[in-house]
Amino acid sequence: MIAYHFPPLHGSSGMQRTLRFARYLPDHGWEPIVLTPSPRAYQQTDSGQLADIPQEVRVYRAFALDTARHLTLKGRYPRLLALPDRWISWWLGAVPTGWYLIKKYKPDVIWSTYPIATAHLIGLTLHRLTGIPWVADFRDPMVQPDYPPDPLTYRAYERVENKTIAQCASAVFTTPGTLRDYQTRFSHVPASRFHLIENGYDESSFAAITRSVNQITKAGGITLLHSGVIYPSERDPTCLFEALATLLKKHVIGAESLHIILRASHHEAYLQSLIDHFEIGAVVSLAPPISYNDALAEMLTVDGLLILQAANCNNQIPAKLYEYLRAQRPILALTDLVGDTAEKLRSMGVDTIAPLDSKEAIMTGLRRFLALLREDKAPIAPMDKILSNSREARTKELARLLGAACKG
C-alpha cells in the first residue's frame, strides 16, 4: 500500500482512507504492507494517530524530501525537482524499498493512492518491474480543464494519469461524478477498469468518544462548525461572509445568537482579512488545529455543521462529510445543487443546501437552517443509512476488488 498520507502526518482527513483500509483489510484475509515517506517529508507531524496503526500492519518509511523546504536556495528551487509534485524524491527512496519488500514478502497486489502523484509513479514503476497487479486509488480527478493551473504541472499530471490508467488493473474513484468523467475521457479503456469506493467514517473512532449531551442545547446562541481546510478557490467563503455581514446589519443575527467556528482552516491570514473586511468578527472566529479525536468530539457537541464546496468541485465530496453524517448533527451545505456533495446529502435525507456562490441564496438557506435548529426540526441522516458509509463497509468493497485484480 503506497501512500503519502499516513501517520504521523498532521492535519489530513485523506490520511484516514489508507489508515482504515490497513486496519480492516486483515478482517478480509489480507495482510497490508504500507510504504510511506519518511516523516521529514511532512510539514507538520502529530504522533496522536500512530496508536491507530494495528501491530500486525508492517509500515516501511522510505527516504523522501519536500523540495520546497529541503532543496531551496535563496527562496528558489529547480522546477524539475518538483514535478509532478514536491515529493518526487520519494520515488528515489520508495522504488528500492518497494523492490526489497516485494522480494521479501511476495505480495499479490500493489495499491497506490493519490493525491500526491508521486505515489502513482512509484506504483507504476514497481508494477512494471515485477508484473504484480496494480490497483490505482485516484480518489479525486488528477486533471481537470483548469487544474492544475500551472502548465508544467498540468502536463506532468497528465502524463502520470495517462500511464496509470493504461497500466493499472483497476482505477478507483470516490464519487460517481469522477467515475463518469474518467469513463468518458478514457472511452477507449474498458469500463470495467473503473470502480467506485467512496470515502467513509470510522465507527470505532466515534465509539471511543463520550458525547456530552449537556453541551448541546437549543436555548440561547447557536454554534456552527466548519472543521478542516478552507481553500480560497474550491471553498471560497466570500459570499457566505457577505451574507453574514448583511444579516448582522439587519440584526437578524448577532454575537448573542450565532457563533461560527472555522477550525483548522489552514488559510488563517486570508480568512482573517475577509472577516475584518466584512466586519463579521462578532459571529465568526478562527480556531487552531486539534487532534483527530478531539475534532470528532467537537463535531458531536455543536448545534450544526458547515460544508463549503464550490461548483468547480462538483465531482468531489469532502471526506469529512461522512464524519459529519455519523456525528448526527444537522448539516448546512453550501454547495452547487447539482454536484455530488448535494446529491449525497439528499440521498441521506438532508435538504438544507444552498449554492456557495450566491449571497442571497445563502441568506435564505441560513435563516431557514437556524429556524429549523431552534425548532429541533433540522434533518439528520438516519443511522441505518449512515452505517452503509462506514470504513468497514468500504474495506469490504476494496477486498473484493483486490481479489478480482489477483484473478485478472
Side-chain angles (χ1 to χ4, degrees), residues 145-353:
D146 58 350
Y147 180 84
D150 173 68
L152 277 177
T153 305
Y154 184 94
R155 288 193 293 271
Y157 269 45
E158 193 174 42
R159 286 193 295 270
V160 174
E161 181 185 68
N162 287 335
K163 290 178 180 179
T164 301
I165 293 296
Q167 296 288 324
C168 70
S170 297
V172 180
F173 306 93
T174 58
T175 67
T178 301
L179 177 66
R180 289 192 299 269
D181 175 58
Y182 272 76
Q183 287 176 326
T184 300
R185 290 171 49 212
F186 294 90
S187 57
H188 59 285
V189 175
S192 59
R193 189 170 301 177
F194 303 97
H195 300 269
L196 175 68
I197 300 180
E198 292 185 45
N199 281 311
Y201 74 91
D202 185 55
E203 183 61 35
S204 64
S205 296
F206 279 91
I209 299 170
T210 302
R211 181 172 178 174
S212 175
V213 179
N214 293 332
Q215 289 181 272
I216 302 175
T217 174
K218 297 297 178 291
I222 288 173
T223 299
L224 305 182
L225 169 70
H226 182 280
S227 185
V229 180
I230 298 180
Y231 301 103
S233 172
E234 294 87 344
R235 297 172 186 172
D236 182 7
T238 302
C239 289
L240 168 62
F241 288 178
E242 288 180 336
L244 292 171
T246 300
L247 293 175
L248 266 172
K249 291 175 183 176
K250 292 182 176 181
H251 303 291
V252 175
I253 60 173
E256 71 289 342
S257 63
L258 178 64
H259 181 208
I260 297 178
I261 302 170
L262 307 180
R263 170 75 66 187
S265 66
H266 286 258
H267 295 278
E268 282 80 4
Y270 168 71
L271 292 173
Q272 189 61 58
S273 68
L274 287 180
I275 292 169
D276 295 341
H277 173 74
F278 290 108
E279 299 179 341
I280 55 174
V283 295
V284 180
S285 64
L286 303 176
I290 53 180
S291 72
Y292 177 69
N293 288 337
D294 287 344
L296 294 183
E298 185 177 39
M299 293 177 194
L300 293 170
T301 58
V302 296
D303 297 286
L305 299 163
L306 278 174
I307 280 285
L308 308 180
Q309 189 82 331
N312 60 6
C313 294
N314 271 1
N315 287 349
Q316 301 174 35
I317 299 175
K320 67 173 166 284
L321 177 63
Y322 299 89
E323 292 163 345
Y324 276 15
L325 290 166
R326 174 57 183 85
Q328 289 199 291
R329 305 304 304 138
I331 298 171
L332 174 61
L334 303 182
T335 188
D336 190 39
L337 300 180
V338 299
D340 280 354
T341 299
E343 180 56 35
K344 181 65 180 182
L345 285 165
R346 285 192 292 265
S347 74
M348 301 294 287
V350 177
D351 67 349
T352 43
I353 306 168

Side-chain angles (χ1 to χ4, degrees), residues 62-83:
F63 167 84
L65 301 174
D66 176 352
T67 299
R69 290 188 296 118
H70 298 122
L71 301 177
T72 296
L73 181 62
K74 297 182 178 179
R76 305 184 69 178
Y77 55 84
R79 287 298 309 279
L80 289 177
L81 298 182
L83 292 175

Side-chain angles (χ1 to χ4, degrees), residues 37-97:
S38 163
R40 74 165 67 87
Y42 302 143
Q43 191 163 359
Q44 289 183 288
T45 60
D46 181 354
S47 61
Q49 285 205 266
L50 287 172
D52 290 339
I53 304 173
Q55 290 185 352
E56 67 268 25
V57 174
R58 303 173 181 92
V59 179
Y60 290 81
R61 305 184 186 277
F63 167 84
L65 301 174
D66 176 352
T67 299
R69 290 188 296 118
H70 298 122
L71 301 177
T72 296
L73 181 62
K74 297 182 178 179
R76 305 184 69 178
Y77 55 84
R79 287 298 309 279
L80 289 177
L81 298 182
L83 292 175
D85 52 54
R86 290 160 33 199
W87 297 274
I88 184 61
S89 60
W90 181 30
W91 181 88
L92 296 174
V95 169
T97 303

